[in-house]
Amino acid sequence: MLFEQLSETVKDSDSLSVQNHSLALRSFYNLIQLYNDQVIPLIRKNMQTSDPAKIVSALQVFMHVFQEVPQTEQLQSEVMHSVIIMIQEDLKPVQKALLNFIEMLGQHDYLALPQGNFIINYVIRLSESDCSNEEDIQILCSKILQMVSLPKLITLACQPSNTLAFVLLSKTATKMALRARSRGQVPYLSSFHLSPTQFISPQKLLTHLVVLSVKPYREGEFGVSSLRLLYALHPITSLHPIINSSVGQLWMKKIPQMLQILDDHTEKNLNQEEWEDRLLQFSSQSLVAIDDDSWLEQLIKVVLERINYFSDDEEKAFLYKFFGFTLRTSRNMKLIKMMISSILQTVHEELQEREGIAVALSIVSMKHLKIVLDQLQVYSAVLTDKDSSFILKLMKEHQRREWGLVCNIIYLSYSKIILESKGDIFTHLDGILAMVLQHYHNCIMEKDKNLKLEYLDALTKLTNILSSHPMAFQFKFPQKLEIVTFMMELIREEPLNSISSSIRLKAMNIIIDFRKLHPLMELEERTELLRTCYKSVLCLPSTEVLQKEASSLQEAQATVDLFRETLQSLLRLMETLIVEMPSRIQHCLELLDTWLNSQKDNERERAMWCAARILGFTAKMNNFGMDIEFSRLGRLVRLLALRCQDPVDNICFLSAQAVYSLYCILLLQKQMGRKKQGLWEEEGKNEVYSANVFYNNTFEIAKAFAEYFTKMQLTTLVLTAMEGLTDSRAKVSLAAAQLMSAVMKERGRDMIKIEEVVEGILERLNSQLEPNTKEETVRAMCLLAGNNTHTVVPMLLNKTLPWDRTNLALWKAFGNQRETTISVLQLLIGILERLHSKEETKEMAFQPVAVTCALYEMLSGSLCQEAVQELYPRLLLAILCHLYWVIEQNVPQKMVVYSKEGGPGSKSKPFDPTSCALEVVKLVFSAAAYDGVVVYGDQHCCWDLLSCPRFYYIGIMDLTSNSWLPVFHPSGIVKTCEPAILHRILNLVRSLLYSSSYHWKILARAFYAQLLWHRSVAQTLGQDLLVNLIKWVKEPNLIMKEVGLRGISNLALHPGQAESLKGQVPFLKDLLKNEARVTVQAVKSLRNIICHGKGEDIKVVFCSISKQLCPLINDERDQVKISATSALSHMLRHIDKFKPRLTTRREIYTFLVPLLLSIQDNNTEVVKACGRALTEWTNVIGWSSLTQTFRHITLSDHIQVLEETCKYLVNTSKTQLVGDLLFQSFGFLKSSQSFLRAAAINFIALTVKKLNMSQIHEDDVELLQNAIGNLRNDPVESIQSLVNTTLKKIDEYINFRSISTSRMSQISNNILKVTGIKNPERKKRLFRSVKRERDDDNQKIWRWLQSPLNSLRNRYSGRVKDIPHKSGNSDKQSTGSQVPTSESPPTEAGPAAK
């Protein structure tokens, strides 16, 4: 009932419930005094129930009556038992009441009982940091813990199981210690070492508190709590032999400082490494202050024990350091050796454990280096000594692993010692390295792949640290070279068809670690090292192959990763060698040639990685004070440039990077050199180029590097690039060609060994190159020729004719680039000029013929117009001179010097030297855009003339301007070419007018003469012009005469010049009786003087030359006849403009008979010329009815036209004019030309036919008959027949009239005639009396007519005889003769003159 009463909830506001609760407790108090034996069991029974309310009530009752209960051992045992049961039930509603009860028990020393530990542990669990626990529970726990003895409380705090409650326990212990001190009860720790089984030892306590301080902000206050507890426990005045006062003094100084640091920082901003160092220094100083080896020994054992059983990695790492610092303070060598040996025997499966051991030994070595090294050497015997090694005692499957672990510990220890050493270790290092080699060579295990890996992995740790130590470079390590050699052996042993292990990777890393250590490697050793590493890495199969050979995806990825790491290691190795010997960069690159030129994509790509890395690293060194030479720069650039066009895109990218790095190196070297010379520095130039610019751009590469090549490097680049032309990969071969052409474009003039380059290019062009490659190679040769014309062109010219397609393609290419075209053309022109300016030889020279073949190809292209125009005059003259020279040579029959390929399905066209030269002449005009000249030459047979030595000069003149055409029509070169071009030609030929070379002189003068057709040329030459022309005309050479006359003729075309030339008319008139072509040109000159003259004087000039011109109308030479007739037509047309008067008209009449005779010619041109002349003649005289007849005359109707003309003459009723014309025709009956004799007979016959012969005076008829009759014995039978026919017809005409007349009339007429009596019907006289004063021409006619006149006189005198009378040379003339003279002006008939 009372328990139920107590179980009810007490409300402070309800006074009755409070009073009931108080009375119930008082009731239990009274009962316990009366019935102790019965009440206690009842209370304990309620304490052990599962009802929290009953338990709480029981605990309240027990606490209320506990003072009145006798404290027997039995009671203590029963109470502790009940408490333990409640703890085990751990009902939360009961916790507060239970803690109050436990607090009461603690006041009665129950916690000191054996079962007290269970209760204390329960209280500790409740005190652990847990937000669910109420604050008053935490306070109760703290009160209870303060009832525990300080040593026990500290022991509990240091137990690992109580870590979460450490803060509370340490705070409680700190309060207790401080409270004891305030009471003068210093909390000595001396009892700790006396009861090691009950309480924590001082060594463990120190170790634990220091370790917990490593993470000062763990659980918020770990570090602070640990340090404060340590500070509270310091024995300031203790004279204890273990912990003396110096420790306390140290702690009083250091601990507050560390606490202040923790207060000033947080977990985020505290430097953990510095904090750990501070803790270690604090520990080390404390141990120095303790200065007790036995104490120290115990501490070391504690640390080792804690190391072996601790699982927290960070704390374990700290413990290894703590061990090192602890052992370092010892002066007991034996202890040090023993402890070192002990730590080496500890567990070392994990890397952290091995590193911890190494760190510990490195700390110890700072004071005891010799001992540590000796102990390591002793320990390393297990690797090589089979007799003493514990490794061999292990199971076989663990032996190799253990060997590697031991090796790892030893080398890691050495590395840590080196890291911490200030230099003392380096005096022992060579011995250590020698021992390292022995570990492998004398290994107790079989040397398989795994052992190699273990060994190399361990050694890497040593060499890595060694290479990074700043003092390492101050010492020499003779063992270095042996280790490097050993690593090379390991690399060579690795298979080249797989990468199953990281042996080559680790070996190269070790070599890298020895980069700058002395002694440095010699060149031969470096070469062998690079070759070995290159071969081992670059020759491995491609990653695709490696992946296919893998058994799984994971293995495949691992293999690829391993290869990439290995390649990176190789790249780093090259960097180390560069650092070691920077002047040997080129050597490193040259060793890559084999793989850079490999046919395997993967090998080229890897090699390019290496090349890019070498150059990139060098460029970034930015230390160009050193002498970095690229003596084979040309070869290197060629190699990289070709790779920039590699089929593999990544190789192109890497090559571009490498090229840019190389460019930066050279640029920086150049800038540094300029700075040393005090010259202006080129800045920003490297910004012009970048790797992107060089990517797939061979031309930019060549442009960028051009200035850096020496002549030899430049040549080497081209020679080596030629080797790539035949590469099977089209892109690479094209790149080689592009590189050649680009370099030649930039620096072609600096090339040497030109002959070798030319022959090499020709050889490769003759092979089967890719079309694009061949095109670019030809372009390269073109650029080479443009820059080295005097070397390249003669070599190509000396090739045997006819040339093959390769040579022809080269010459054609020479005509496609302006600069090259100009340069080559200048040389070719020079060859022609030089050879043909010499005295001619009988044998035909080979080189000029080759020049024409070359020109044929060059000019047959369509891109050389600008270049040809620039050199056009000189080129034209040179090839024309060559043509003149070659046509005079004795060319072998069917000699072929050039063969032009025909179209598909057609044969090639062969050319001999002449036809080739002639074609080149045409091409010169076409290439210069003067196709009109070619067309003109075709139309006017100029090419035929030029091909004939006899008429060559005529071809030149006709090609320049054809004087056969109407004077007002320009033609040929003069018409087509611009005045500026004509003047350029003129300037050239003027210097050659009096050349010692006959060929040049003829060519120059022919051009000179014909160029005068152009007004601007004639005006330019001035006064010396006519002097030169007259001088040439006076030369005995007929060609020179003709050329000079042609010049005068052209000069007369221009206003003002014709007037000045009138004074030369007598001189020119004398030339009309010269050789045919001279005569023709003289006629043309006179024609032009008259036709282009002004004023009345031209009629005087015409009259002055008419007597000399008229005979030429009937000249036996057709060209003279045509020229004279044509000239006459032009003259008559011009004279007609000035209204010719009687004197002039007389002279004009003299041309009618010659024209009417010539019109009977069978030569169409002669007939046409006569038709034109007669047309103009009729216009002048006014015979307009005949104009149309003559204008349209042809060869088929010219006799009919003649007959109509004769009819017109007779019908004019001007018998005297007909007689004059007939008399004039008598002169042609004695002509040496049979044609003229026959023509004259025809003219006489047709005229007589139209006359009424019965009305013609007998004397005239007889004279007519006798004149014709003299030709009865003509040597030409057709003329004899014509004479007889004509005489017969004359007789018929006379007899026809006589039939109608009486005989008487005839007799009377005869009588009248004999007697001299005049007939009433007077007959007409045809011929006038012949005067004695006759000119030369009429004298001849007169002498010829003397015979028929004498016969006629004899008849009148009655002494007529039937005997032919010979014409003699008598000068006596009959005064009674009625033969007209030539000087008598004919009486005009027909229509009135204009």
Side-chain angles (χ1 to χ4, degrees), residues 516-791:
K516 277 191 174 181
L517 299 184
H518 293 280
L520 300 178
M521 299 175 67
E522 297 296 332
L523 179 60
E524 295 77 9
E525 295 168 338
R526 286 162 47 87
T527 301
E528 185 61 28
L529 171 60
L530 281 175
R531 282 205 184 102
T532 300
C533 294
Y534 285 160
K535 182 177 180 181
S536 181
V537 178
L538 302 183
C539 290
L540 287 171
S542 64
T543 53
E544 291 79 9
V545 174
L546 293 175
Q547 287 177 312
K548 288 180 181 179
E549 294 177 351
S551 58
S552 64
L553 291 176
Q554 293 78 5
E555 182 181 347
Q557 186 60 44
T559 302
V560 172
D561 293 341
L562 177 59
F563 169 75
R564 289 174 179 168
E565 291 179 14
T566 304
L567 180 59
Q568 289 299 320
S569 179
L570 175 61
L571 298 178
R572 291 195 301 274
L573 172 62
M574 293 186 301
E575 290 178 357
T576 62
L577 295 177
I578 293 172
V579 172
E580 189 173 312
M581 294 185 70
S583 61
R584 306 302 301 181
I585 295 171
Q586 178 179 267
H587 181 68
C588 297
L589 294 170
E590 288 176 352
L591 295 176
L592 289 169
D593 277 2
T594 302
W595 294 278
L596 286 172
N597 293 307
S598 172
Q599 294 298 315
K600 297 180 180 180
D601 293 346
N602 61 299
E603 291 184 359
R604 293 198 312 278
E605 183 174 0
R606 294 165 185 171
M608 189 49 65
W609 269 108
C610 296
R613 187 67 166 266
I614 290 172
L615 293 170
F617 180 78
T618 305
K620 291 178 182 178
M621 289 171 62
N622 202 23
N623 180 17
F624 296 95
M626 66 191 79
D627 188 15
I628 301 177
E629 292 186 0
F630 292 97
S631 58
R632 298 184 180 180
L633 181 63
R635 186 184 300 271
L636 176 59
V637 172
R638 168 257 174 192
L639 186 61
L640 297 177
L642 292 188
R643 294 286 75 83
C644 279
Q645 297 286 349
D646 198 275
V648 180
D649 190 64
N650 194 40
I651 297 178
C652 298
F653 174 77
L654 292 171
S655 300
Q657 294 285 349
V659 169
Y660 179 64
S661 297
L662 178 60
Y663 173 75
C664 291
I665 294 171
L666 297 175
L667 180 61
L668 290 171
Q669 284 184 322
K670 178 183 177 181
Q671 291 175 348
M672 181 164 288
R674 293 178 64 85
K675 282 184 179 179
K676 289 181 179 179
Q677 298 174 7
L679 300 175
W680 173 76
E681 181 183 357
E682 298 175 279
E683 295 182 356
K685 190 171 183 181
N686 58 337
E687 297 177 1
V688 176
Y689 294 103
S690 67
N692 291 334
V693 173
F694 294 138
Y695 179 74
N696 273 335
N697 197 333
T698 310
F699 295 105
E700 286 295 337
I701 294 174
K703 182 179 179 181
F705 285 90
E707 64 176 299
Y708 297 101
F709 295 128
T710 63
K711 292 184 177 181
M712 179 56 71
Q713 290 171 345
L714 191 70
T715 306
T716 301
L717 183 148
V718 174
L719 291 174
T720 53
M722 280 194 297
E723 300 171 1
L725 295 177
T726 54
D727 196 289
S728 59
R729 295 160 296 186
K731 194 175 181 182
V732 175
S733 63
L734 177 59
Q738 289 174 340
L739 181 63
M740 289 171 53
S741 61
V743 168
M744 290 176 184
K745 180 179 180 181
E746 297 295 330
R747 292 279 305 279
R749 294 185 183 277
D750 298 326
M751 291 281 294
I752 58 177
K753 299 183 179 180
I754 305 298
E755 296 82 359
E756 183 179 352
V757 173
V758 172
E759 292 297 336
I761 293 177
L762 288 175
E763 178 183 352
R764 285 157 180 84
L765 284 174
N766 287 322
S767 61
Q768 295 296 325
L769 296 181
E770 289 288 332
N772 292 337
T773 301
K774 189 168 187 177
E775 180 181 352
E776 195 61 41
T777 305
V778 170
R779 181 173 179 269
M781 178 69 96
C782 181
L783 292 167
L784 180 65
N787 289 300
N788 302 275
T789 311
H790 291 277
T791 304

Side-chain angles (χ1 to χ4, degrees), residues 417-468:
I417 293 172
I418 293 171
L419 195 60
E420 297 294 338
S421 174
K422 295 181 180 179
D424 296 339
I425 182 64
F426 291 102
T427 58
H428 305 277
L429 202 53
D430 198 56
I432 293 173
L433 295 177
M435 187 172 59
V436 165
L437 289 172
Q438 293 176 5
H439 291 165
Y440 182 82
H441 293 308
N442 301 330
C443 176
I444 61 175
M445 309 300 299
E446 181 182 353
K447 300 181 181 68
D448 61 1
K449 179 177 69 175
N450 293 330
L451 185 132
K452 290 179 183 178
L453 287 172
E454 295 283 354
Y455 175 76
L456 293 175
D457 186 60
L459 183 57
T460 301
K461 292 179 172 59
L462 170 60
T463 57
N464 198 344
I465 297 298
L466 175 61
S467 64
S468 62

Side-chain angles (χ1 to χ4, degrees), residues 810-870:
L810 288 174
W811 286 110
K812 185 176 287 294
F814 291 170
N816 293 337
Q817 296 183 9
R818 182 180 182 276
E819 295 78 6
T820 300
T821 303
I822 291 176
S823 181
V824 173
L825 285 178
Q826 286 176 334
L827 180 60
L828 296 179
I829 293 169
I831 292 173
L832 294 178
E833 292 174 342
R834 183 175 63 255
L835 291 177
H836 298 321
S837 64
K838 300 177 181 178
E839 292 298 326
E840 289 73 9
T841 59
K842 293 183 179 180
E843 296 183 0
M844 184 174 67
F846 170 79
Q847 196 173 43
V849 176
V851 168
T852 58
C853 297
L855 288 172
Y856 190 104
E857 280 299 316
M858 288 183 66
L859 302 180
S860 61
S862 60
L863 303 177
C864 60
Q865 178 176 326
E866 184 179 352
V868 173
Q869 286 179 339
E870 186 171 335

Side-chain angles (χ1 to χ4, degrees), residues 1163-1205:
N1163 188 322
T1164 304
E1165 295 299 323
V1166 174
V1167 173
K1168 288 182 179 180
C1170 288
R1172 290 192 294 269
L1174 287 168
T1175 300
E1176 298 299 333
W1177 191 93
T1178 58
N1179 287 331
V1180 175
I1181 299 301
W1183 292 6
S1184 59
S1185 59
L1186 291 176
T1187 300
Q1188 293 300 321
T1189 302
F1190 291 131
R1191 180 171 293 152
H1192 301 290
I1193 192 171
T1194 62
L1195 189 62
S1196 61
D1197 63 356
H1198 62 291
I1199 300 300
Q1200 182 180 353
V1201 170
L1202 177 64
E1203 187 176 357
E1204 292 179 4
T1205 304

Side-chain angles (χ1 to χ4, degrees), residues 1226 1229-1230 1263 1266-1267 1269-1271 1339-1351 1353 1363-1373:
F1226 292 165
L1229 294 175
K1230 206 62 176 176
L1263 179 63
N1266 289 335
N1270 282 333
L1271 295 179
Q1339 284 289 345
K1340 293 179 182 179
I1341 300 172
W1342 173 246
R1343 286 195 297 270
W1344 179 75
L1345 291 174
Q1346 275 187 335
S1347 178
L1349 291 175
N1350 289 334
S1351 297
R1353 185 172 64 250
I1363 300 173
H1365 180 72
K1366 289 186 178 179
S1367 61
N1369 294 326
S1370 175
D1371 293 330
K1372 295 180 180 180
Q1373 305 293 333

